[in-house]
Amino acid sequence: MLKYQMKLQKIISRLQQKHPKKIDLTLQRTINLLKKLGNPQDKLKNVISIVGTNSKYSICQSLKSILNEEGHKCNLYLSPHLQSYNERFVYNNKEIDDQTLIDLLEETEKILGDDQATLFEILTCAYLKYSEEFKDNITLIEAGLFHQFDSTNVFKKNLASIIGSIGLDHLQWLQNKTIEGIIHEKTVNLLKSNIFINKQSKNEIMLKIDKSLKKNKSNKYFYGKDFNILKAENSFIQYEDKFGSIVLPEPNVLGDHQLTNISTSIAAARHLFNIKNQSIKMGITKIVLKGRLQEINYGKLKDLIGSNRLFCDGGHNINAAKVIAKWIKQQGKEVHLIVGMMKDKDHKGFIKCFTDNVKSITLIDIPNQEGSISKEKLKVKLNGIHKKINLSNNIEESIKVIKKREDSLCLIIGSLYLVGEVLNLN
């Protein structure tokens, strides 16, 4: 395992040198490399593209679980990864094995030659090339930054596009730094096929998405209009669309916000594949969401927290903070946050969502991330937001302090990179 990690990291380091910028929004380099690879994207038969600010990963995994229950095989392209690059490359329902990934990246590097490409562009092209081996599978492609100039936007046709929740994030890459600007980037080049639109944080965002899609002649299915999901106080859950209603079991994921993500996955599954009700019911009980309100039930860090419960979530923008804060309120327990964030986030806006319902906030540095904000600078920015903001040297030290509490919840949030470190430590 260590030998593989070292070899893979050497390859990744070389690939990072293939372009001076980590992010450079244009499609030409991707198109050039795909052409050298034989345009594998044109050979895939059942592509579903997932775009949005939040909920992309959850929708991908929910839809995969439902489709798998019906007997369909899926490929997934996900980003970023939490613990290993293998997580990004899923074929035939399974992550790629170590040696195959090494061979794939080395071959792609060789074919790229002296041409330029960002790491993400190279990974995307490599993924698509190996997808040829499984071209009849259903391929779920999670878009990277925005979509218009993202290297996943290279298909001539697809089965559908799914729009997750859209909010303000990554504004430094946009000229039009408004919600309209973000909606434009994510929707302007969606293919003509089927479009499923997830629930949005505000009705006005849904209306703006509807407006932006007016010229797109796809079949469109909006949450709240064409499909819906309801949860009563007695935990009774009912999904409904034009095909009828289904009474659903409790899914095995935390947070009521995941119900809307699941409903969008159900809508896509029913409209595109005529999935049986029983497969939907069983599928939603088998969803695996890594680093999304994930409870850590065993391992090194769980031992450190004692009798308290430990959770982690990679949420890093205001929309994510709002849904996590809502979940916290429902717990009826004393909650302590451990927070590490990247420099380019709305730090104040994010933390303000939690000020009324958490007992303490402990700030830490995200290990191994040059783009993270230091705990000291973060504390200065958060001055006056919460009466108890602490600093800690690392994840373990933070958890040990919270161990002294009884019957409490510890939630580690602020970055997917931080969650990756947590899972690796555990």
Side-chain angles (χ1 to χ4, degrees):
M1 183 66 177
L2 183 59
K3 181 181 178 182
Y4 153 76
Q5 290 176 341
M6 291 174 65
K7 189 169 184 179
L8 179 60
Q9 192 51 55
K10 285 183 180 179
I11 298 170
I12 295 297
S13 296
R14 290 200 307 269
L15 296 180
Q16 287 172 328
Q17 304 305 311
K18 292 292 184 177
H19 194 277
K21 295 180 180 179
K22 182 179 180 181
I23 298 174
D24 187 6
L25 297 177
T26 178
L27 283 173
Q28 195 56 54
R29 291 181 302 274
T30 302
I31 291 168
N32 292 343
L33 179 52
L34 286 172
K35 186 176 180 180
K36 282 187 167 186
L37 291 167
N39 286 317
Q41 76 281 7
D42 296 338
K43 300 168 187 176
L44 307 186
K45 296 181 179 179
N46 305 296
V47 174
I48 299 176
S49 303
I50 299 94
V51 306
T53 307
N54 296 98
S55 69
K56 292 179 292 185
Y57 175 83
S58 297
I59 290 171
C60 279
Q61 296 290 13
S62 300
L63 183 52
K64 173 183 176 292
S65 187
I66 292 168
L67 293 172
N68 288 168
E69 197 63 32
E70 185 85 352
H72 293 288
K73 293 181 179 179
C74 294
N75 310 324
L76 272 73
Y77 183 57
L78 306 169
S79 67
H81 64 275
L82 295 181
Q83 293 180 273
S84 71
Y85 279 90
N86 305 60
E87 296 169 28
R88 301 178 183 232
F89 293 75
V90 176
Y91 303 97
N92 260 2
N93 307 330
K94 296 179 181 179
E95 289 180 8
I96 196 169
D97 67 77
D98 298 346
Q99 191 57 55
T100 303
L101 180 55
I102 287 172
D103 293 343
L104 175 62
L105 294 181
E106 286 182 334
E107 181 62 21
T108 307
E109 178 186 23
K110 180 180 177 181
I111 291 171
L112 177 66
D114 294 329
D115 289 354
Q116 286 195 344
T118 68
L119 175 61
F120 184 74
E121 291 164 356
I122 296 168
L123 294 175
T124 303
C125 293
Y127 176 86
L128 293 172
K129 180 60 180 176
Y130 197 60
S131 293
E132 279 190 70
E133 303 288 328
F134 313 94
K135 63 184 179 182
D136 294 326
N137 289 358
I138 299 166
T139 301
L140 309 179
I141 302 286
E142 180 183 349
L145 194 60
F146 304 122
H147 179 252
Q148 181 176 190
F149 298 111
D150 182 73
S151 59
T152 62
N153 181 23
V154 291
F155 299 98
K156 294 177 181 176
K157 61 181 180 178
N158 68 1
L159 284 178
S161 299
I162 300 176
I163 301 175
S165 59
I166 294 180
L168 296 173
D169 203 1
H170 305 296
L171 296 179
Q172 71 273 28
W173 302 104
L174 288 179
Q175 284 189 323
N176 182 358
K177 302 179 189 300
T178 65
I179 193 67
E180 288 86 356
I182 290 177
I183 290 171
H184 174 79
E185 293 295 323
K186 293 183 184 296
T187 61
V188 67
N189 285 139
L190 294 183
L191 296 171
K192 181 183 175 182
S193 55
N194 300 280
I195 300 177
F196 298 86
I197 300 94
N198 195 31
K199 182 181 180 181
Q200 303 298 313
S201 60
K202 297 177 182 177
N203 187 54
E204 66 181 90
I205 295 177
M206 186 71 90
L207 294 174
K208 291 177 189 297
I209 293 172
D210 189 10
K211 182 179 179 181
S212 75
L213 293 173
K214 286 297 183 187
K215 294 181 180 179
N216 189 308
K217 301 304 181 183
S218 296
N219 301 313
K220 304 181 191 87
Y221 307 94
F222 289 84
Y223 176 91
K225 177 185 174 185
D226 301 296
F227 62 95
N228 208 342
I229 196 164
L230 302 169
K231 183 177 183 180
E233 291 183 6
N234 61 359
S235 295
F236 177 86
I237 302 170
Q238 182 169 303
Y239 169 88
E240 55 189 26
D241 61 21
K242 72 175 185 179
F243 300 111
S245 63
I246 316 173
V247 176
L248 298 173
E250 191 80 29
N252 66 320
V253 292
L254 299 174
D256 287 346
H257 63 287
Q258 293 294 359
L259 291 178
T260 59
N261 300 333
I262 289 169
S263 75
T264 304
S265 301
I266 294 173
R270 293 185 104 185
H271 281 84
L272 299 175
F273 304 103
N274 195 28
I275 301 295
K276 294 190 290 289
N277 289 356
Q278 188 59 30
S279 296
I280 292 170
K281 291 179 181 181
M282 291 300 296
I284 69 168
T285 66
K286 298 178 182 180
I287 301 167
V288 177
L289 297 183
K290 196 172 183 180
R292 277 72 174 180
L293 275 180
Q294 178 181 351
E295 182 166 11
I296 297 176
N297 291 306
Y298 58 87
K300 177 182 175 183
L301 299 183
K302 173 59 181 173
D303 293 341
L304 287 180
I305 200 71
S307 60
N308 300 304
R309 297 175 72 187
L310 179 62
F311 299 83
C312 62
D313 189 282
H316 50 263
N317 54 45
I318 292 178
N319 276 2
K322 286 178 179 177
V323 298
I324 297 168
K326 182 179 179 181
W327 176 80
I328 287 174
K329 287 180 180 179
Q330 295 169 343
Q331 302 314 300
K333 302 281 185 180
E334 186 178 279
V335 177
H336 301 267
L337 297 186
I338 298 174
V339 181
M341 300 187 74
M342 303 299 283
K343 292 175 183 175
D344 60 349
K345 302 302 174 184
D346 182 355
H347 307 107
K348 275 190 173 183
F350 184 84
I351 295 298
K352 277 183 178 179
C353 296
F354 302 102
T355 52
D356 296 330
N357 55 5
V358 299
K359 188 75 172 178
S360 71
I361 300 173
T362 301
L363 307 179
I364 60 174
D365 296 333
I366 303 177
N368 309 312
Q369 288 298 326
E370 292 181 5
S372 64
I373 185 171
S374 71
K375 56 183 180 290
E376 292 83 6
K377 288 182 179 179
L378 184 53
K379 185 174 183 180
V380 171
K381 291 189 73 171
L382 300 178
N383 182 42
I385 287 182
H386 194 278
K387 60 185 177 182
K388 193 168 184 181
I389 295 182
N390 309 308
L391 300 182
S392 183
N393 291 320
N394 54 55
I395 296 165
E396 294 118 310
E397 182 182 288
S398 306
I399 291 174
K400 285 178 182 177
V401 172
I402 296 170
K403 181 181 180 179
K404 299 173 185 176
R405 317 296 300 192
E406 290 186 7
D407 197 26
S408 296
L409 303 184
C410 173
L411 176 58
I412 304 175
I413 59 169
S415 171
L416 285 166
Y417 297 109
L418 177 59
V419 169
E421 293 292 335
V422 167
L423 296 177
N424 284 332
L425 266 176
N426 195 55

